[in-house]
Amino acid sequence: MKTPRWIKGLSLACAAWLSASVGTAEPLRVFAAASLQGPLDRVAEAWNGQVSISYGGSGAMARQLAQGAPADVVLLANAAWADWLVANGHTPDTGQMLLSNTLVIIGSPNAPVLPDATPHTILARLAGGRLAMGQHMSVPAGIYTQAWLAEKGAWDTLRPHLAETENVRAALALVARGETPLGIVYASDAVASDAVSVVFEVPADAHPPILYPGLALTPEGEAFLDHIAAHLDRFVAAGFRLP
């Protein structure tokens, strides 16, 4: 008995729909501070499923989420931006503090250590070049750096000599490529690159605490946050600290 043509067509259509449904399963969408790149990539590889990570400056990502950018979870490098998202109703999650960090001044691999970071010693080491750092109005590393330099009374002196970047990894890259003599980044950034060395460690109490909150926007995002919390040792090995 021959199968009617319309049944064959319906079967093919169903098969195509099932195939498309499987093939178009969306990966978990993560917005993450640029400084998390590296250890977060490795933690994502251990996740049972596909993960799509967009790295950038915390301020820019927070604004993108506020404008409706789709994401399952966001990992920021500044608690104030997380509070802003929560206060404005852009996330149902109040978040959890996952990690902390410290600031360091970096130079070329063979750069001598700075015995003290004063406006005079920094300007002398710049020798007419610029000091790379995250943008002080929106990038957390830049916000913390400004707070530290202001506390030292060095902000007004050094501001004309800055090269401000859209995220902290861009500041790291400027020093690694030799385009700027010095940069201020997180300690974990310095660990991530063999093309720079730490010339000065900024005291942790010289600026507001550097904290990394994670906020879930979907149930899948909440599960991924739990997955990260179970692998914090990988971040500690990469130069981060526990809060």
Side-chain angles (χ1 to χ4, degrees):
M1 181 176 178
K2 293 181 63 176
T3 303
R5 183 175 298 177
W6 70 270
I7 294 180
K8 286 185 178 179
L10 181 60
S11 299
L12 290 173
C14 289
W17 179 82
L18 288 172
S19 176
S21 298
V22 173
T24 57
E26 291 189 357
L28 185 83
R29 300 157 300 181
V30 180
F31 278 22
S35 53
L36 292 167
Q37 191 168 6
L40 181 57
D41 291 332
R42 291 187 287 274
V43 169
E45 289 173 359
W47 174 252
N48 185 25
Q50 290 186 321
V51 180
S52 174
I53 306 176
S54 297
Y55 290 106
S58 293
M61 289 188 300
R63 289 191 292 269
Q64 289 170 11
L65 289 172
Q67 294 167 4
D72 295 292
V73 64
V74 58
L75 308 168
L76 302 175
N78 185 278
W81 280 115
D83 292 341
W84 179 79
L85 285 171
V86 173
N88 287 278
H90 298 304
T91 170
D93 185 19
T94 56
Q96 56 179 297
M97 292 301 171
L98 298 169
L99 299 161
S100 67
N101 219 326
T102 57
L103 292 176
V104 295
I105 300 179
I106 56 171
S108 63
N110 298 317
V113 171
L114 277 173
D116 190 18
T118 67
H120 174 74
T121 59
I122 292 175
L123 286 174
R125 186 66 63 87
L126 291 177
R130 291 190 172 269
L131 175 66
M133 60 173 276
Q135 212 285 328
H136 75 280
M137 292 292 289
S138 61
V139 177
I143 295 171
Y144 298 125
T145 295
Q146 182 193 20
W148 171 58
L149 293 176
E151 189 270 340
K152 290 183 67 67
W155 175 248
D156 291 337
T157 300
L158 294 176
R159 188 170 183 180
H161 306 277
L162 300 177
E164 297 189 60
T165 62
E166 62 183 7
N167 61 65
V168 70
R169 284 298 174 94
L172 174 72
L174 287 179
V175 180
R177 294 195 300 260
E179 296 180 28
T180 60
L182 296 176
I184 302 180
V185 299
Y186 296 127
S188 58
D189 296 309
V191 171
S193 175
D194 294 330
V196 302
S197 65
V198 174
V199 300
F200 184 81
E201 297 181 359
V202 178
D205 59 356
H207 52 73
I210 300 173
L211 298 171
Y212 287 75
L215 300 101
L217 285 79
T218 65
E220 293 80 7
E222 186 173 353
F224 189 70
L225 278 183
D226 292 339
H227 174 71
I228 292 174
H231 293 85
L232 292 181
D233 57 320
R234 301 193 183 191
F235 292 91
V236 172
F240 291 86
R241 298 182 180 184
L242 298 180

